[in-house]
Amino acid sequence: DAERAASPLSGLDEAARERAAARARHDALACFDALRGAGDRAGATAELARLRTLLGSTARFLGVELRDALAAGDDGAAQRSFGAMRPAERTLAALASLDASPDLRDRLVRAALAARDAPGALSPLLHAAGDDPAHEFEGVAEKLVAQDRAAPILPAAATAVLSHTERYTVDASGLVRWVLFDLRRVSGTTDVDQNAQAAAPDVWGRGSMRALRRRIWKRDGRVLEPDRAPRASQAAADLSQLEGGDVVEAVYEGWALPGETGDVGIDTPDLLPERVAVHDATLELRLPPRLEGALWSHRLLGKADERQDGGARVLRWHVVDEPARRVEDGVPKMDRSAGVSFSTARWSGVARALRETLASLDEHDPEVDAWAREAAGGDAAKPTRAAVDALVSAVGKALRESDAGTLSDYGAAITPVQQATARSFLASHDGSRSWLLLRGLRVLGVPAELRVAESEPFSADPAFPPHYGRFVHPLVLAHVEGKDVWIDADVAGPPLPAGRVSPELRGRTALGTDGSMTTLPARSADEGDEIDVRLALDDRGDARGTFAAVLRGRDAQELSEALFRIVGAERQRALRDVVLAWLPWANVDEVQLASSEGSWQVSLRAQVTVGGYAQRDGDKTWLLPGLDTLHQAWPRARVSSLGATYATRAGRESALAVSTAVQYHVHRRVELPKGATVARAPGPLDARGKLVEASRSLSVSGAAIEEDFTLGVATGTVATGDYDAFVALAHAADDGFLAATRVRLP
């Protein structure tokens, strides 16, 4: 080894030394590489034969043999090596090098299903064979650019798509080919930055994309072909010479093979993003006649024209002179894009992928068994609720950082098989708490199953095609002492106690590993934030008192996780922000954390002073403020209203997705100065409707005003037909909470 490092050799000398070395690996290719490098092809062939005999396999090193035969121009030897290979060992590049038949294109497409270099090699090989999908778009840009220069097309549009064509062809084998042609004019700086190029579609499985043409048609008549910038840190860096008024032409081609589940899925790009108008656009989807799948299209695309062509089912959408649409906020996840979604997946198939993910994580490690028994303590011998509670607490301590993506419906694509197990989670203190919990419950003999819930409203259309990425939040459903107990462990901060679920998930749908759908329990009255404010007013209208809070929602989860990392002044600022989220005008004189470190809920107490709490309305009258409806404590204190958050647009065209849950109860006691009385109190509020429940009550006891505010906002989707009623309810809740109390002074 020392001689090899100190005196490197090459060629035949290196081959001779490798053969003579006592410690040389005689089953390695070192000697073969040396002989081949020296040009001794006969010796290299003999060495390869020796290695095959030594290893007992005549099928070894066929790829090496094929490469050398092609390099030497020995077509006969190359054909023999290629023919001896298994289908998965062959490559499209080798097939193209050996096959000169007229039907090479069809053979390449058929071989792509098993070839190792598919689908990435398909596009360049077919292009070399004369298959150029960009040829049909020759002259289109020249004609439309000249027309636009003479008389601007859609002159008022910020970004005008002059021509757009998308074609998707699904082969009976599952191979997908797509071609996208786009010609657009950009106007201002924002359009140059955001809308300079058309987005690529999202096609499931193993895919590749290639830009066949990119050109900039300048206003002065020049045509630029930008240099490629594959390692640029910014998107569209090759279009750095783009200016307002220029036209960008692009032709893309892509291929995709089905993924591990064998499903085909296509999500076309957003045809009408913000500030974009379309002059002429065509989307075409070509499907095998017997291919079963679900299809959804945005309402702005209109109804598809369907026809039969050569035994294939062809769907075509055509959009003409469509102005820029009004992009609304709060639209469900999959309804935001003006495109088409097609999927052959079924929820039973998604559930099967979940089962395979669980199987890849499974093991029978005695170390994990011992940990689970120790975590359950004295209750490990029998499956009791106390043992489950103890195990949940131990899981939170063992895994400070949770990884919910491991057991999501797309988790099979991100979890390395046999690299992530319960034991590796315990060793790294990072991983899926839900899986560690399932593994521990199995040791304790507690029946349990995995359910994966939606984290946000998915689509307003209940018939939207099954789609990976919908069910992403894992939950554990344990069956103990004759009851079903939901466990929400993969959250920010410590896991929730057994029986509690994050407010955002209440009422959402969850997918089981058997393909069944379950609706999570509705919200519970004892799971919201509890706020208690006690103030005493002096003769000037200033208030002094106490503030106490118990936070249990998403803010509490994120704040509890942050409290592991922040200390000192930063921690004090975070706690003060909780107070200011409910009393924006207060001076926080003193604040301290009342809950224990690592608690799933955050409790705190504070001493506060509020200058000018009572606003004068004349010489003998005060107005005491109401309460804003929405309060956010983390990462910064912020107050808002239901109307400002959910009712910003009139005549809404899309369904509204409410993805943040709110649930709290505020008790406020205000002691009046001596001789002051309540002149007018706001009436009671009890507003109830879809997704929103709000109530306010007020009573006077001696010189004290007792008020209770209760608000519950559930996650869900509000259809366009129900939007006006939802807005009216939101405004009623805002007005009822903000109504002031009039106090008469002595």
Side-chain angles (χ1 to χ4, degrees):
D1 293 341
E3 183 182 359
R4 185 183 294 108
S7 304
L9 300 176
S10 62
L12 296 177
D13 294 334
E14 173 66 10
R17 183 163 67 181
E18 288 295 333
R19 290 176 178 175
R23 293 187 56 198
R25 288 189 57 195
H26 296 291
D27 60 346
L29 290 170
C31 184
F32 169 80
D33 291 335
L35 291 170
R36 184 179 59 181
D40 186 359
R41 186 168 179 241
T45 302
E47 174 65 14
L48 205 60
R50 182 192 69 80
L51 287 171
R52 287 171 173 167
T53 302
L54 177 64
L55 298 174
S57 174
T58 59
R60 293 289 293 270
F61 310 119
L62 287 173
V64 176
E65 187 178 68
L66 173 63
R67 180 188 60 189
D68 287 354
L70 289 173
D74 190 345
D75 292 342
Q79 290 283 3
R80 288 191 297 272
S81 300
F82 188 79
M85 289 180 173
R86 296 180 178 89
E89 295 178 303
R90 298 170 181 170
T91 64
L92 298 179
L95 176 61
S97 301
L98 296 172
D99 194 335
S101 60
D103 61 341
L104 174 61
R105 181 194 181 282
D106 296 335
R107 294 194 61 186
L108 286 172
V109 171
R110 289 195 301 268
L113 296 176
R116 290 189 293 113
D117 57 347
L122 263 178
S123 182
L125 290 176
L126 291 177
H127 189 271
D131 186 350
D132 183 10
H135 180 71
E136 65 173 302
F137 303 110
E138 293 289 349
V140 175
E142 289 87 339
K143 179 180 177 181
L144 284 174
V145 169
Q147 180 182 342
D148 183 64
R149 295 290 185 257
I153 300 172
L154 300 176
T159 298
V161 177
L162 307 182
S163 180
H164 184 93
T165 301
E166 296 177 48
R167 292 199 180 100
Y168 302 88
T169 303
V170 182
D171 190 75
S173 63
L175 181 67
V176 179
R177 183 187 192 183
W178 58 269
V179 177
L180 187 150
F181 168 76
D182 185 84
L183 186 71
R184 59 181 56 203
R185 184 192 68 235
V186 294
S187 297
T189 305
T190 300
D191 308 290
V192 170
D193 178 54
Q194 299 180 1
N195 296 323
Q197 58 183 352
D202 181 13
V203 183
W204 299 2
R206 295 186 293 125
S208 67
M209 185 189 78
R210 187 178 180 217
L212 303 179
R213 181 187 302 161
R214 297 258 286 180
R215 293 191 293 191
I216 301 175
W217 298 77
K218 304 292 289 184
R219 288 175 297 177
D220 58 8
R222 292 177 297 151
V223 180
L224 305 181
E225 293 188 1
D227 295 330
R228 295 186 179 183
R231 288 179 292 275
S233 59
Q234 293 180 325
D238 57 336
L239 300 179
S240 59
Q241 295 174 295
L242 195 62
E243 301 174 294
D246 293 346
V247 177
V248 182
E249 178 190 9
V251 181
Y252 303 109
E253 181 189 31
W255 295 83
L257 289 167
E260 291 83 354
T261 61
D263 293 311
V264 174
I266 300 171
D267 293 320
T268 68
D270 190 357
L271 186 61
L272 288 163
E274 191 173 9
R275 298 173 58 88
V276 174
V278 174
H279 171 58
D280 186 274
T282 302
L283 274 71
E284 185 176 285
L285 179 61
R286 183 179 294 265
L287 303 171
R290 290 186 295 274
L291 182 65
E292 296 183 0
L295 181 70
W296 175 89
S297 62
H298 197 275
R299 58 178 180 80
L300 291 177
L301 301 183
K303 183 176 177 58
D305 296 328
E306 185 172 348
R307 59 185 174 86
Q308 298 292 324
D309 184 13
R313 177 189 175 200
V314 181
L315 299 167
R316 186 174 183 270
W317 292 264
H318 190 206
V319 177
V320 178
D321 291 334
E322 182 70 33
R325 64 168 169 153
R326 183 174 70 172
V327 179
E328 299 175 330
D329 54 355
V331 178
K333 177 181 177 180
M334 300 306 297
D335 299 347
R336 300 167 191 165
S337 176
V340 175
S341 183
F342 172 78
S343 167
T344 63
R346 297 183 179 180
W347 291 124
S348 58
V350 177
R352 182 184 65 186
L354 285 175
R355 295 196 299 271
E356 292 178 355
T357 301
L358 293 178
S360 70
L361 295 170
D362 204 2
E363 37 68 38
H364 298 277
D365 196 308
E367 183 178 342
V368 179
D369 295 351
W371 172 85
R373 296 189 185 96
E374 182 181 357
D379 297 311
K382 53 183 179 179
T384 63
R385 176 63 182 270
V388 173
D389 293 339
L391 185 61
V392 172
S393 177
V395 166
K397 296 177 181 178
L399 302 182
R400 292 296 188 186
E401 298 286 341
S402 66
D403 182 8
T406 301
L407 295 183
S408 62
D409 62 10
Y410 58 84
I414 63 174
T415 303
V417 178
Q418 299 303 325
Q419 292 185 10
T421 63
R423 184 177 181 181
S424 69
F425 293 164
L426 288 173
S428 64
H429 304 289
D430 182 18
S432 172
R433 292 174 179 165
S434 296
W435 168 246
L436 186 58
L437 188 59
L438 282 168
R439 181 67 175 81
L441 291 174
R442 186 177 70 186
V443 175
L444 301 182
V446 177
E449 56 190 278
L450 175 70
R451 300 278 176 172
V452 187
E454 301 172 298
S455 62
E456 62 177 319
F458 188 67
S459 174
D461 186 353
F464 195 92
H467 200 287
Y468 290 91
R470 175 177 179 179
F471 298 102
V472 298
H473 191 100
L475 299 168
V476 174
L477 178 59
H479 309 284
V480 58
E481 297 180 352
K483 296 181 180 179
D484 292 340
V485 180
W486 290 93
I487 306 173
D488 189 2
D490 281 314
V491 297
L496 302 186
R500 290 183 178 270
V501 176
S502 297
E504 286 76 12
L505 305 180
R506 288 292 188 179
R508 309 302 301 160
T509 303
L511 174 69
T513 55
D514 58 354
S516 62
M517 298 287 189
T518 305
T519 300
L520 297 179
R523 60 190 179 194
S524 176
D526 64 342
E527 293 187 353
D529 298 338
E530 288 289 339
I531 311 296
D532 185 80
V533 181
R534 297 176 182 269
L535 302 174
L537 292 175
D538 59 19
D539 295 336
R540 295 175 301 179
D542 298 334
R544 182 181 297 274
T546 62
F547 173 90
V550 179
L551 305 181
R552 301 190 180 102
R554 180 61 57 86
D555 281 357
Q557 296 171 8
E558 296 179 353
L559 180 58
S560 180
E561 182 180 25
L563 291 176
F564 281 115
R565 304 186 301 272
I566 60 176
V567 295
E570 188 67 16
R571 171 176 286 210
Q572 285 295 306
R573 184 200 63 78
L575 297 179
R576 288 175 185 272
D577 278 353
V578 176
V579 182
L580 295 177
W582 296 92
L583 293 174
W585 332 276
N587 292 323
V588 183
D589 303 323
E590 181 183 351
V591 61
Q592 59 182 352
L593 186 66
S595 56
S596 60
E597 188 85 13
S599 174
W600 66 276
Q601 60 184 8
V602 177
S603 303
L604 57 88
R605 293 188 295 268
Q607 298 289 332
V608 297
T609 302
V610 188
Y613 182 82
Q615 300 295 315
R616 285 194 172 272
D617 185 30
D619 294 335
K620 295 293 184 178
T621 307
W622 281 349
L623 291 179
L624 302 185
L627 184 73
D628 291 287
T629 48
L630 296 182
H631 308 262
Q632 181 178 347
W634 180 259
R636 289 289 185 272
R638 185 174 66 87
V639 296
S640 185
S641 64
L642 291 171
T645 304
Y646 300 116
T648 56
R649 293 183 180 273
R652 190 177 179 94
E653 299 174 354
S654 305
L656 171 67
V658 180
S659 56
T660 302
V662 179
Q663 192 172 357
Y664 66 76
H665 168 249
V666 176
H667 174 74
R668 184 171 66 183
R669 176 185 174 89
V670 180
E671 296 181 3
L672 302 176
K674 185 177 180 179
T677 58
V678 176
R680 188 181 67 189
L685 170 70
D686 188 9
R688 299 178 183 274
K690 184 177 182 180
L691 304 184
V692 176
E693 296 179 358
S695 65
R696 178 185 181 181
S697 61
L698 183 147
S699 63
V700 180
S701 177
I705 301 174
E706 304 274 356
E707 293 181 279
D708 287 281
F709 302 83
T710 303
L711 178 66
V713 179
T715 59
T717 303
V718 180
T720 53
D722 301 330
Y723 180 69
D724 290 341
F726 176 82
V727 169
L729 181 62
H731 286 311
D734 290 336
D735 295 342
F737 274 39
L738 288 171
T741 303
R742 186 178 296 273
V743 174
R744 182 180 296 110
L745 300 177

